[in-house]
Amino acid sequence: DVKVTQSSRYLVKRTGEKVFLECVQDMDHENMFWYRQDPGLGLRLIYFSYDVKMKEKGDIPEGYSVSREKKERFSLILESASTNQTSMYLCASSFLTREQYFGPGTRLTVT
Amino acid sequence: QQPVQSPQAVILREGEDAVINCSSSKALYSVHWYRQKHGEAPVFLMILLKGGEQKGHDKISASFNEKKQQSSLYLTASQLSYSGTYFCGTERAGSYQLTFGKGTKLSVIP
């Protein structure tokens, strides 16, 4: 079974802090994605990566950056957290354009 | 631009059928369908590729009309386990990324 893990299920940070969300997949997938999920808005793509050190902006990249130094690991970085970044963050991975496998999510609260 | 899903929510009794629609204004290469139960991660259901195919698994099937850029998910003889939020994700040719709709909340009651 494909396994996608995220470093934390719940996280509380203060405004202005630098926040790292980590995602690891164990199926040697090329593609990895970061989404945020907010009630009534569905899943919105923040960034994705199709190879090590490669990244592309999604629909809502402002205020975020990413890092992919190893194939299995994809990190989402909030350089200076703000309250409007309080959300559920979901990581996913896929082989080429096939089905995406999602991690359990990190519920981030910025106070 | 996010695809438009309809309806936003639907309540069914066990055994009833439902159709969830997903419509895009852009030319599509494929449509994915996922189901998310409360408090859990989305889970893949099926992919439909350009070509107007129809796929099915058990009592859940889907179609993709590429001329209209529309996909429909069909749930027949619904079970309690079908409850959850259904998302369509659309993919354009040459892109690895999916754009998801806002979701359709399906509730199946006894």
Side-chain angles (χ1 to χ4, degrees):
Chain A
D1 278 353
V2 175
K3 195 166 185 182
V4 179
T5 57
Q6 296 183 227
S7 49
S8 306
R9 290 301 302 270
Y10 300 93
L11 208 53
V12 180
K13 295 292 183 181
R14 293 197 178 275
T15 301
E17 280 193 84
K18 190 169 186 175
V19 182
F20 292 87
L21 301 182
E22 303 283 337
C23 175
V24 177
Q25 51 94 3
D26 66 356
M27 281 302 291
D28 203 35
H29 284 167
E30 282 79 6
N31 299 334
M32 296 189 74
F33 308 84
W34 274 107
Y35 297 91
R36 65 176 282 175
Q37 183 173 26
D38 301 288
L41 297 180
L43 297 154
R44 293 180 294 165
L45 182 66
I46 304 171
Y47 268 97
F48 79 100
S49 169
Y50 52 90
D51 202 351
V52 175
K53 296 190 186 295
M54 306 303 290
K55 61 185 179 185
E56 285 201 21
K57 294 180 180 178
D59 299 315
I60 51 166
E62 297 78 20
Y64 304 94
S65 63
V66 291
S67 172
R68 192 167 181 199
E69 297 295 321
K70 292 185 178 181
K71 191 174 185 179
E72 67 270 19
R73 188 179 297 269
F74 191 33
S75 302
L76 180 69
I77 303 155
L78 288 67
E79 294 289 342
S80 178
S82 64
T83 55
N84 62 13
Q85 292 178 310
T86 290
S87 186
M88 171 67 82
Y89 290 88
L90 289 163
C91 174
S93 72
S94 76
F95 176 67
L96 298 178
T97 59
R98 293 171 66 181
E99 62 265 31
Q100 293 189 14
Y101 295 86
F102 286 84
T106 296
R107 185 166 294 283
L108 173 67
T109 302
V110 182
T111 62
Chain B
Q1 191 171 5
Q2 287 182 283
V4 177
Q5 285 187 235
S6 62
Q8 291 183 339
V10 59
I11 299 174
L12 298 175
R13 292 198 178 276
E14 271 187 292
E16 291 183 335
D17 302 340
V19 180
I20 300 172
N21 298 302
C22 175
S23 180
S24 173
S25 59
K26 298 185 184 294
L28 301 177
Y29 174 74
S30 73
V31 179
H32 297 217
W33 285 96
Y34 292 78
R35 176 172 62 206
Q36 184 178 31
K37 292 183 179 287
H38 183 69
E40 299 180 8
V43 173
F44 169 78
L45 293 175
M46 64 187 75
I47 295 176
L48 297 108
L49 300 176
K50 184 177 175 180
E53 66 174 309
Q54 183 158 355
K55 296 187 75 171
H57 177 70
D58 198 11
K59 294 185 174 68
I60 299 176
S61 63
S63 63
F64 177 27
N65 185 326
E66 64 183 274
K67 288 184 179 179
K68 294 184 177 181
Q69 308 306 326
Q70 290 177 350
S71 179
S72 295
L73 186 71
Y74 307 95
L75 301 101
T76 58
S78 58
Q79 307 166 17
L80 294 176
S81 61
Y82 286 3
S83 292
T85 301
Y86 290 77
F87 294 98
C88 69
T90 56
E91 178 195 0
R92 286 182 284 155
S95 168
Y96 290 124
Q97 49 182 309
L98 295 179
T99 304
F100 284 92
K102 295 182 179 180
T104 296
K105 186 175 181 179
L106 179 75
S107 302
V108 181
I109 58 176

